[in-house]
Amino acid sequence: MAVTPYRFSVGPWNLGRGADPFGPPVRPQVAFADVLKAAVKLGFEGIQLHDDDAVPDLEKLTHSQIVREAEAMRGTLSDLGLTAEFVAPRLWEHESGVDGGYTANDPAARKWAIERSKRAVDIAQALGTDLIVMWPAREGTNVRESKNPVEASGQILEAINAILGAHPKARIAIEPKPNEPVDHAFVPTIGHALALGARCADPSRVGVLIESAHAILAGLDPSDEMGFAVAAGKLWGVHLNDQNGLKFDQDKVFGAANLRGAFDQVRVLEAANYAATGCFIGFDVKAQRTQSADAATAHLATSKAVFLRLVEKVRSFPHTAAQQCIKARDYEALERLVLEHLLGG
Ligand code: GLO
Ligand code: MG
């Protein structure tokens, strides 16, 4: 039986300008057309888009202008053999979303957030995808007492229901993250995301997107988070990357901090036959600030190469020997087997 190949995706923000909280941009903005060219050259098929990546200045446009621009974008993508994986409403950069969107204390801001998310559904439909990614970036607090966590869950649920109500085929993949930009996020883990999905108007249309670094920031093992989502039939996307412990969200090259952890994630994806679901392997990785503009795609090439090497490592893993170790409860021998395999012995 032929093995289904993996499909890879990337977002324009992964070709960033090298700015960090301590310094301004060090590389010129990559024009959108060049982002697409780079994606094609690197062998990516899917493009992940924020609503305003797909339709710049969408707040200034009428509904029909938005749809027309999104349709034009669909044409641009398909001319290059690319397809839109998802649309994510970018609520956290707009001034109305300064206190969060769905959980803002100002009712006018909450209304804005829901309306903008509904527009993201229109954009997604015009681009030919049903998938909306919800990263609830500022849905949380820096001052714990500033919001009511009980009300916040209800408000996020209301937003989920509004998005599902915007189109009968719209599906949402929630991308949890425990902190950054806020101190405490209301949707920190896959368990929280799935619990919210289970309570919404149509649980069949809510799943998750797992980012490796976000799981690590929550003190969790990304491969276990993936396993939990797979068991529920809800793993609809991944943002593979890496993270060196509990610090700022690093978005390192996949496998760069913990190669064994990356192997374990690929192991779960392989066992789940993830490729056959048609869902994408997305990378949410950043080029280092030290990279020159002409070498600022290497992080993507490396992440993809590491992923494919790890697929081979999973497929060539000595499963029978591992089963014998497990049967004998000789986990030290299993440890050795895994390490030797990863070392290439
Ligand atoms: C930031 C997130 C962010 C999202 C993207 C799609 O930490 O990982 O990059 O993945 O905005 O919603
Ligand atoms: Mg991400």
Side-chain angles (χ1 to χ4, degrees):
M1 205 177 67
V3 183
T4 317
Y6 283 96
R7 307 168 80 197
F8 295 97
S9 68
V10 65
W13 65 91
N14 296 123
L15 298 175
R17 305 182 65 193
D20 67 16
F22 307 98
V26 292
R27 294 184 289 265
Q29 176 87 45
V30 182
F32 191 77
D34 293 331
V35 169
L36 300 185
K37 274 190 218 149
V40 171
K41 199 168 161 211
L42 291 160
F44 287 90
E45 176 192 341
I47 295 290
Q48 314 168 6
L49 293 164
H50 294 118
D51 50 1
D52 53 1
D53 291 321
V55 180
D57 292 324
L58 65 101
E59 300 269 353
K60 295 185 192 139
L61 304 179
T62 63
H63 180 254
S64 53
Q65 284 171 326
I66 289 176
V67 172
R68 258 203 314 277
E69 287 215 11
E71 282 167 355
M73 175 63 73
R74 182 181 187 165
T76 305
L77 296 179
S78 80
D79 286 348
L80 290 162
L82 293 167
T83 171
E85 178 189 7
F86 64 69
V87 175
R90 181 146 48 188
L91 305 180
W92 56 92
E93 285 190 4
H94 193 271
E95 59 190 347
S96 301
V98 71
D99 184 30
Y102 313 134
T103 64
N105 280 320
D106 176 0
R110 295 203 297 275
K111 191 160 171 256
W112 163 82
I114 288 188
E115 284 313 310
R116 177 143 170 183
S117 304
K118 291 189 343 204
R119 291 294 80 78
V121 173
D122 300 334
I123 293 171
Q125 290 300 319
L127 283 167
T129 177
D130 294 327
L131 196 61
I132 296 295
V133 163
M134 179 192 273
W135 170 40
R138 293 190 198 276
E139 313 306 343
T141 57
N142 290 317
V143 176
R144 185 89 268 321
E145 296 78 10
S146 64
K147 292 182 186 175
N148 175 330
V150 179
E151 278 175 16
S153 289
Q155 287 161 343
I156 295 171
L157 208 49
E158 200 184 310
I160 291 174
N161 287 338
I163 293 170
L164 295 178
H167 192 279
K169 284 197 169 158
R171 292 182 300 127
I172 303 172
I174 303 175
E175 178 183 352
K177 181 176 179 182
N179 59 279
E180 201 198 47
V182 290
D183 183 10
H184 290 289
F186 288 128
V187 191
T189 68
I190 293 306
H192 290 80
L194 291 184
L196 277 168
R199 289 174 56 213
C200 79
D202 185 357
S204 72
R205 290 195 281 142
V206 180
V208 292
L209 179 148
I210 297 186
E211 173 162 329
S212 323
H214 296 181
I216 297 165
L217 284 170
L220 299 171
D221 181 309
S223 72
D224 279 349
E225 286 281 87
M226 287 178 189
F228 191 75
V230 164
K234 294 295 191 184
L235 187 60
W236 296 351
V238 288
H239 272 175
L240 301 184
N241 59 12
D242 214 346
Q243 170 74 27
N244 200 4
L246 301 183
K247 44 188 90 171
F248 65 95
D249 183 12
Q250 295 181 300
D251 294 338
K252 279 174 173 286
V253 158
F254 185 50
N258 182 349
L259 198 52
R260 184 176 182 177
F263 168 79
D264 288 330
Q265 291 169 63
V266 178
R267 190 170 161 264
V268 170
L269 294 170
E270 277 280 290
N273 214 355
Y274 182 83
T277 66
C279 294
F280 283 92
I281 295 291
F283 295 107
D284 200 349
V285 288
K286 281 200 189 87
Q288 296 179 34
R289 195 163 194 273
T290 43
Q291 287 301 98
S292 62
D294 57 357
T297 56
H299 59 303
L300 291 167
T302 307
S303 294
K304 188 165 166 253
V306 168
F307 177 85
L308 290 169
R309 287 289 302 277
L310 288 172
V311 169
E312 284 168 26
K313 280 281 169 197
V314 171
R315 291 184 184 165
S316 61
F317 185 70
H319 293 283
T320 311
Q323 280 312 315
Q324 282 161 1
C325 298
I326 291 166
K327 205 165 164 214
R329 214 181 64 201
D330 189 350
Y331 298 155
E332 293 293 357
L334 180 62
E335 189 98 293
R336 176 81 184 245
L337 198 72
V338 172
L339 293 175
E340 291 285 358
H341 185 67
L342 288 176
L343 287 166

